[in-house]
Amino acid sequence: MFKSLKMKLFILFFFVTILPMAFVAYITYQSQREDIKQQTDQLLFALGDSAAVSLDDFIQERLQDVATIAQNPVIQNPDSDFDDIQKELKKFVELNSIYFGAIFIDTDGIITVDVDDTVIGTDLSDRKWFQKTLRGGVHLSDIYISDVIDRQILNMSGSVQDENGRIHGVVSPSFDLQYLWRRIDLFTRQQQSIGLGGYAFLVNQNGDIVAHPNQDISGRQNFFEDYDLSTEQFNHIVQNRLIYTHEESEMLQTFVKLDKKNGFENDWYVGIAVPLANIQDPLNQLLTKYLILFSCVLLIVIIGVFKLSNYIVKPLQRLVFATSDFAFGKKVYPLSTNSYHEVDTLTRTFNMMMRRLVEREKSHQKSTLILETTDNGVLSFQKDSRLITTFNRTCEELFGVKKESVIGLKIDDFIKFNPAFQQFYRCAKLQGIIDKQQFNTQFEFLCKFKDAPRYFFMSLSPLKDLNNEQEFEGILLVFNDTTDKREMEMKLNRSEKLQMVGQLAAGFAHEIRNPLTTIRGFIQLFVRSDEVSESQKTHYDVIIKEIDRVNEIISELLNMANPNHVTVHEETDIVKLINEINILYKTEAEWRRVDFRVECESLPPVWIKKNKLHQILMNLVKNALEAIQEEGELTISAQVDPTESFIKLTVADNGGGMDPNTLAKLGTPFFTTKESGTGLGIITCYRLIEELGGTMEIESEQGRGTTFILFIPIER
Ligand code: ADP
Ligand code: MG
């Protein structure tokens, strides 16, 4: 999958565009995140600082109040009675609504004056704050839970001095802590209003929670214990202005130390607590924003990259598909060139290549077609491996085997399993030719093939090696069946011979006949004369007989030489003609005890030279009777040939028949096997049938008989 160009381009683009983009996005996100964090940190500290300032002011005011009341002239005067002091204290409480009570304690620690007279007489001499205040100045205790009233209180006290600076009592106003809480709650509300959430609280150096929006916690819980903090850790956080994150409670906390005031015993720290989630919210929002933005850009880049890689890859893919289609032989149309330059060039080259290949394929098909349709047998095999590489249709027909089962076979194996080819190979003496490396020869050979002798013309040529012109890799055999041609040649040859003999005979037959007639006339005169004895007469008769025989031969010769001289074309009823022959030879047949039969169907009349056919039939019947000699069958039959253009006439006997030698010489002038034969009968028949426009075939088997078949054309 990753090997495809499309995928590779995609990965490349991914690394070139998306990765740097992701990197930039990450950096920007981180810096923005850092900014936001810093801003929140600053905000937290700003809140802490302003809370610290505000609380400082509050405490400063309270200390100021204590100093003011302690310096009241009535109270300072040791001679003032308790009622005056009470009056002054009441005035103070009424003026400052923040205070709900005030007491005056004498140097023995006994409360001598109380605004509402509830605690008069209470001994506070053991209280640390009292003892400290008695030494002078103004004091502010920590906030603690009073064992008297079971609620948080903060003790403020100031030493009262007379004119001489002698301390003669301690004044201690009580203020409502709610005011302090409200002051702190102000910051909690501020935090809520700006969306930070959380709350502000007060804690001292020991971790005691001094003030907390939750009243149940303030004064009763220890921050260090709750948040697993040591004093050192806490100091470290405060001094370095760090933000303390407590994972368990998921809160962030900052602490700002309040200024230590004169007379103030404790270190107070204002704490700002904010839920972690509230700080992380903007960060998460930022992250979401970034993710959305990044996804959009990613999508756009992916689409862009996809389109681009498609633009680059598609034309190539089209080429790849076209090439494979073409390779698998599917029809492929020329591809259009409308993409970018390089691919267009490639496409044009591809189209050109395809066109050339198609042309080549066509010409190859053409040559294959020629090879398959030619009547010549074409066979080729490799020189070294002897594997058969070509075997065409004519070969298939000749050797009766399909091309598929021969191609790729060794020629030697083919010889072994195909007797026809074995015969062919042997007759052509191919082994010898190949052994002698005579690869450029042509010759004709005779092969008794499927029982009939057939002539073949064979042409052997070397097949050049396509890679190396000098070498040749195979042997090509091209052969054709020349039997018909050969037969035609033989017929022509015979006809030429016939003509020659005819002319010769015509030339001297007349020259012999005339003196012979004279000789015969004189001999007859001698026979009639009385001077001739009886024995001499017998001799003369023999001479006359022999002269007659010579005459007969000469007539036959003349007949053959110039057969045209008397006869004319006439409408001929062949059946009638055959019956005439039958009648003519009936007596001789009976005498020889030969069953002479005629088997004819009704035939259409033919327009021929009747005499000639008559003469042919006479010759054939004569020969047949001579061949039978005594006892046998002679049949003349005639019917219309299936082609309907000839009448097929057969003269068949069951006489002695002919051996192949006689058969081969048949038709040669003066060839005879008979003691008193002329050897002109058959040759005359050939000559005559040729004149009739027909043909004659002979079938003969020694000891079984002979059949002469005449084909006489029906057409005029
Ligand atoms: P001839 O009859 O004078 O011998 P032909 O030309 O008629 O001459 O015949 C030539 C030869 O052909 C004969 O000598 C004979 O050997 C052979 N021949 C012809 N017809 C027949 C036949 N029907 N059966 C056997 N042999 C035949
Ligand atoms: Mg004869």
Side-chain angles (χ1 to χ4, degrees):
M1 180 195 182
F2 291 104
K3 282 196 168 165
S4 73
L5 177 61
K6 195 169 186 173
M7 217 50 221
K8 281 190 174 157
L9 276 175
F10 197 80
I11 291 167
L12 180 76
F13 284 134
F14 186 82
F15 277 106
V16 168
T17 58
I18 295 173
L19 270 196
M21 201 182 76
F23 184 67
V24 169
Y26 178 74
I27 298 275
T28 327
Y29 167 73
Q30 282 298 346
S31 79
Q32 286 214 13
R33 189 186 136 96
E34 221 27 65
D35 282 355
I36 289 181
K37 261 185 92 175
Q38 260 178 21
Q39 278 171 17
T40 10
D41 288 2
Q42 279 168 6
L43 186 64
L44 284 180
F45 280 113
L47 278 170
D49 286 342
S50 73
V53 169
S54 171
L55 288 172
D56 268 341
D57 287 352
F58 184 81
I59 291 161
Q60 190 63 45
E61 279 165 22
R62 297 296 74 77
L63 288 169
Q64 196 59 51
D65 287 346
V66 177
T68 311
I69 190 71
Q71 281 161 18
N72 185 297
V74 178
I75 296 170
Q76 269 187 331
N77 188 357
D79 298 330
S80 301
D81 62 14
F82 292 152
D83 284 341
D84 295 332
I85 294 173
Q86 194 183 31
K87 240 182 246 170
E88 286 308 311
L89 287 179
K90 271 186 180 170
K91 225 194 279 173
F92 171 79
V93 170
E94 276 158 21
L95 264 172
N96 299 288
S97 57
I98 193 169
Y99 297 98
F100 62 86
I103 51 172
F104 183 83
I105 311 151
D106 67 11
T107 47
D108 294 331
I110 306 297
I111 300 172
T112 51
V113 181
D114 180 15
V115 175
D116 48 10
D117 292 337
T118 48
V119 288
I120 290 196
T122 309
D123 185 356
L124 299 175
S125 59
D126 59 339
R127 304 289 158 96
K128 262 191 189 160
W129 56 268
F130 169 73
Q131 287 160 9
K132 260 189 189 166
T133 318
L134 214 53
R135 275 177 245 135
V138 179
H139 287 277
L140 204 64
S141 77
D142 209 344
I143 295 173
Y144 61 93
I145 297 183
S146 160
D147 47 0
V148 183
I149 50 174
D150 191 33
R151 71 176 223 208
Q152 269 191 308
I153 59 161
L154 180 137
N155 193 278
M156 295 192 299
S157 54
S159 53
V160 182
Q161 294 174 338
D162 60 13
E163 290 167 340
N164 306 318
R166 199 178 57 89
I167 295 166
H168 64 90
V170 167
V171 68
S172 171
S174 307
F175 79 90
D176 193 344
L177 271 176
Q178 290 300 327
Y179 286 92
L180 182 62
W181 304 155
R182 264 183 238 149
R183 188 59 76 93
I184 295 170
D185 284 347
L186 213 64
F187 291 95
T188 301
R189 278 204 297 280
Q190 198 179 335
Q191 276 173 240
Q192 305 288 353
S193 72
I194 60 170
L196 261 184
Y199 51 86
F201 63 103
L202 264 183
V203 68
N204 69 11
Q205 78 278 2
N206 300 320
D208 296 323
I209 295 175
V210 176
H212 195 279
N214 184 353
Q215 297 278 320
D216 295 338
I217 292 174
S218 51
R220 290 172 218 271
Q221 280 191 13
N222 187 286
F223 181 80
F224 292 174
E225 283 170 17
D226 289 354
Y227 286 83
D228 305 323
L229 263 180
S230 65
T231 314
E232 289 79 50
Q233 281 173 324
F234 181 75
N235 286 338
H236 176 76
I237 289 168
V238 174
Q239 271 159 26
N240 295 300
R241 285 174 80 83
L242 299 178
I243 292 186
Y244 174 62
T245 311
H246 189 250
E247 300 292 346
E248 217 168 278
S249 64
E250 297 187 331
M251 293 297 260
L252 286 182
Q253 271 125 352
T254 54
F255 301 95
V256 180
K257 195 178 175 186
L258 303 191
D259 278 351
K260 193 157 186 181
K261 304 293 173 317
N262 192 20
F264 191 40
E265 282 176 22
N266 290 298
D267 288 331
W268 275 7
Y269 300 87
V270 62
I272 303 289
V274 173
L276 199 61
N278 287 5
I279 300 292
Q280 272 174 346
D281 258 5
L283 290 179
N284 287 342
Q285 278 169 12
L286 183 76
L287 185 67
T288 319
K289 239 190 266 172
Y290 264 90
L291 282 179
I292 290 173
L293 190 77
F294 184 71
S295 307
C296 288
V297 175
L298 187 72
L299 193 74
I300 292 168
V301 168
I302 286 176
I303 291 172
V305 165
F306 189 74
K307 290 251 166 199
L308 186 66
S309 58
N310 253 3
Y311 176 73
I312 296 172
V313 171
K314 247 205 175 140
L316 284 174
Q317 237 168 16
R318 205 175 48 149
L319 260 173
V320 170
F321 288 146
T323 315
S324 79
D325 277 359
F326 188 67
F328 283 108
K330 282 191 201 159
K331 186 164 174 59
V332 177
Y333 294 98
L335 301 178
S336 58
T337 50
N338 52 5
S339 52
Y340 46 100
H341 175 71
E342 288 79 358
V343 166
D344 282 353
T345 316
L346 191 63
T347 309
R348 269 194 291 275
T349 318
F350 171 77
N351 285 344
M352 202 160 73
M353 211 170 67
M354 198 171 64
R355 204 174 50 235
R356 283 202 188 147
L357 278 172
V358 167
E359 275 164 15
R360 199 169 294 177
E361 175 73 19
K362 266 187 196 158
S363 84
H364 175 73
Q365 275 174 354
K366 229 182 259 174
S367 32
T368 312
L369 198 72
I370 292 171
L371 200 70
E372 285 307 315
T373 46
T374 179
D375 284 338
N376 290 342
V378 183
L379 188 152
S380 73
F381 59 93
Q382 284 171 353
K383 188 181 63 156
D384 299 324
S385 64
R386 294 177 67 87
L387 295 178
I388 297 175
T389 47
T390 318
F391 193 82
N392 76 344
R393 183 191 51 85
T394 309
C395 289
E396 284 182 345
E397 285 167 4
L398 194 66
F399 303 119
V401 59
K402 279 277 158 208
K403 173 182 174 172
E404 290 73 27
S405 53
V406 179
I407 297 281
L409 210 66
K410 268 193 170 185
I411 191 139
D412 312 86
D413 293 336
F414 183 46
I415 292 169
K416 261 181 233 160
F417 92 76
N418 189 299
F421 186 69
Q422 193 179 43
Q423 176 82 353
F424 183 85
Y425 196 79
R426 213 178 35 223
C427 292
K429 300 190 178 83
L430 277 173
Q431 194 56 54
I433 293 169
I434 293 167
D435 288 345
K436 280 185 220 148
Q437 307 229 333
Q438 297 169 329
F439 297 131
N440 236 328
T441 49
Q442 293 180 335
F443 55 92
E444 194 172 31
F445 64 95
L446 180 70
C447 185
K448 192 132 195 250
F449 213 69
K450 295 172 191 163
D451 290 337
R454 289 170 84 170
Y455 287 94
F456 289 100
F457 184 79
M458 166 76 80
S459 158
L460 237 90
S461 45
L463 277 179
K464 279 213 175 109
D465 189 340
L466 289 180
N467 299 318
N468 183 0
E469 287 276 302
Q470 310 301 327
E471 288 288 309
F472 75 96
E473 58 169 5
I475 295 151
L476 178 71
L477 308 180
V478 180
F479 51 88
N480 58 345
D481 189 338
T482 51
T483 312
D484 289 347
K485 197 176 143 211
R486 269 302 174 124
E487 274 175 3
M488 185 70 101
E489 265 175 13
M490 260 153 60
K491 274 184 194 162
L492 262 174
N493 209 351
R494 190 158 53 215
S495 147
E496 269 169 21
K497 266 190 212 162
L498 281 175
Q499 265 173 6
M500 233 172 64
V501 170
Q503 280 162 8
L504 233 159
F508 71 92
H510 278 291
E511 301 303 322
I512 293 172
R513 212 180 214 182
N514 292 342
L516 268 184
T517 316
T518 318
I519 292 169
R520 197 178 186 273
F522 278 113
I523 298 284
Q524 265 178 336
L525 278 179
F526 287 146
V527 172
R528 278 184 214 144
S529 116
D530 302 331
E531 292 155 34
V532 177
S533 67
E534 270 311 301
S535 67
Q536 274 174 326
K537 256 185 197 171
T538 333
H539 288 140
Y540 285 134
D541 279 344
V542 173
I543 290 169
I544 288 169
K545 244 188 198 161
E546 286 305 303
I547 286 171
D548 283 348
R549 226 176 82 76
V550 171
N551 248 329
E552 198 183 330
I553 292 170
I554 288 168
S555 305
E556 253 178 76
L557 253 179
L558 275 176
N559 225 341
M560 188 193 69
N562 190 11
N564 278 338
H565 68 287
V566 262
T567 48
V568 284
H569 279 100
E570 58 195 298
E571 203 179 83
T572 310
D573 180 352
I574 289 181
V575 181
K576 202 174 150 199
L577 186 75
I578 292 170
N579 283 326
E580 277 172 25
I581 298 287
N582 182 263
I583 291 163
L584 204 64
Y585 285 95
K586 213 170 186 163
T587 331
E588 189 181 342
E590 273 167 11
W591 173 67
R592 286 180 187 263
R593 282 178 288 140
V594 170
D595 182 10
F596 190 180
R597 279 185 284 173
V598 174
E599 291 170 2
C600 291
E601 51 185 61
S602 71
L603 297 170
V606 288
W607 192 263
I608 52 165
K609 290 171 178 171
K610 187 177 165 185
N611 265 354
K612 290 184 191 258
L613 185 59
H614 194 267
Q615 208 177 331
I616 292 171
L617 286 177
M618 266 171 50
N619 272 336
L620 294 182
V621 168
K622 225 166 111 191
N623 276 348
L625 289 172
E626 281 165 6
I628 294 168
Q629 291 183 354
E630 255 176 64
E631 227 175 306
E633 271 177 26
L634 169 62
T635 314
I636 300 183
S637 61
Q639 72 240 50
V640 178
D641 184 71
T643 60
E644 291 191 2
S645 39
F646 292 101
I647 283 172
K648 186 178 171 191
L649 203 159
T650 57
V651 180
D653 67 71
N654 62 351
M658 287 176 263
D659 57 30
N661 199 24
T662 310
L663 208 55
K665 285 184 185 156
L666 214 62
T668 309
F670 308 112
F671 169 75
T672 178
T673 55
K674 297 166 196 166
E675 232 174 275
S676 56
T678 58
L680 288 171
I682 299 295
I683 193 170
T684 307
C685 286
Y686 271 125
R687 176 86 201 227
L688 292 174
I689 195 77
E690 199 173 85
E691 294 225 351
L692 292 179
T695 53
M696 181 171 80
E697 287 175 10
I698 306 160
E699 288 169 6
S700 181
E701 207 177 320
Q702 202 167 17
R704 291 206 149 204
T706 308
T707 306
F708 286 84
I709 308 158
L710 300 170
F711 291 94
I712 303 149
I714 295 173
E715 283 292 303
R716 210 167 168 171

